[in-house]
């Protein structure tokens, strides 16, 4: 029995991304203003989310779970790096009328910082996934033990 039932997983994902988004908006809104922060935050949520879900739904089961650590690491780095250009292009399109904010943003958050932030959230999501899988495994193990004890008595 999973910790979060399948029918509630979408709700929990929605809540998580809303908290993530608004937390980011609150942290940096004093630098850019609320309107620009919401635009930038939307782009980051979109691309961080895409990287996280591709990692969790494809890379982890296909490579990490099969102990192909080197291939997994290379593909994860490629995935994160490949998300940088589209995010920057989308930011430029969204902030096209506000060149000052765009250049200020680019100067304050270089590519390596985007990469490190994205990697941080990928690792954080992996830790959540591993914790959830471990708890699910423990619950199943306890259920099996209880069944075997009941069968013996």
């Amino acid at each position: 029995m999973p910790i979060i039932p399948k029918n509630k997983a979408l709700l929990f994902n929605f809540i998580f991304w809303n908290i993530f988004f608004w937390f980011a908006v609150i942290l940096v809104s004093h630098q850019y203003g609320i309107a620009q922060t919401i635009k930038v935050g939307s782009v980051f949520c979109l691309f961080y989310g895409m990287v996280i879900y591709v990692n969790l739904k494809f890379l982890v089961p296909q490579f990490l779970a099969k102990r192909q650590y080197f291939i997994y690491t290379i593909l994860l780095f490629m995935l994160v790096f490949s998300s940088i250009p589209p995010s920057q292009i989308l930011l430029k399109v969204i902030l096209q009328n506000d060149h000052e904010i765009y250049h200020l943003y680019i100067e304050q958050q270089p590519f390596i910082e985007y990469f490190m932030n994205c990697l941080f959230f990928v690792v954080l999501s992996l830790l959540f996934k591993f914790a959830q899988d471990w708890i699910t495994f423990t619950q199943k193990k306890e259920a099996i033990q209880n069944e075997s004890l009941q069968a013996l008595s």
Side-chain angles (χ1 to χ4, degrees):
M1 177 175 165
I3 297 172
I4 302 172
K6 294 274 187 204
N7 59 350
K8 293 186 181 177
L10 186 61
L11 175 65
F12 282 102
N13 278 288
F14 178 76
I15 291 170
F16 168 79
W17 285 108
N18 268 296
I19 291 170
F20 175 83
F21 173 77
W22 289 110
F23 182 72
V25 167
I26 290 167
L27 280 179
V28 295
S29 63
H30 67 282
Q31 293 176 335
Y32 304 118
I34 194 76
Q36 285 80 9
T37 303
I38 288 174
K39 291 175 185 177
V40 171
S42 298
V43 171
F44 283 138
C45 276
L46 174 68
F47 284 96
Y48 287 170
M50 286 178 8
V51 169
I52 287 169
Y53 286 113
V54 167
N55 180 50
L56 291 177
K57 301 295 182 186
F58 177 71
L59 294 180
V60 169
Q62 292 295 320
F63 300 101
L64 192 61
K66 295 177 182 174
R67 299 180 183 207
Q68 297 175 342
Y69 304 119
F70 183 73
I71 295 172
Y72 169 77
T73 304
I74 296 298
L75 290 174
L76 179 62
F77 276 46
M78 288 173 57
L79 176 64
V80 174
F81 273 122
S82 69
S83 73
I84 295 173
S87 70
Q88 297 303 310
I89 291 169
L90 188 57
L91 274 176
K92 186 150 182 89
V93 168
I94 289 174
L95 298 173
Q96 67 185 348
N97 295 332
D98 202 343
H99 299 292
E100 182 180 327
I101 295 292
Y102 177 75
H103 289 293
L104 179 68
Y105 164 75
I106 291 299
E107 290 171 6
Q108 288 186 354
Q109 181 155 9
F111 293 132
I112 192 69
E113 189 174 332
Y114 173 91
F115 176 79
M116 295 306 291
N117 287 340
C118 192
L119 211 53
F120 170 76
F121 289 115
V122 165
V123 169
L124 191 63
S125 69
L126 275 174
L127 291 176
F128 284 133
K129 170 130 178 71
F130 292 154
Q132 182 182 9
D133 290 350
W134 180 76
I135 291 170
T136 301
F137 172 76
T138 305
Q139 288 174 343
K140 286 180 181 178
K141 184 177 173 182
E142 287 175 2
I144 291 170
Q145 288 174 345
N146 287 340
E147 287 176 7
S148 63
L149 284 175
Q150 287 176 355
L152 291 174
S153 44

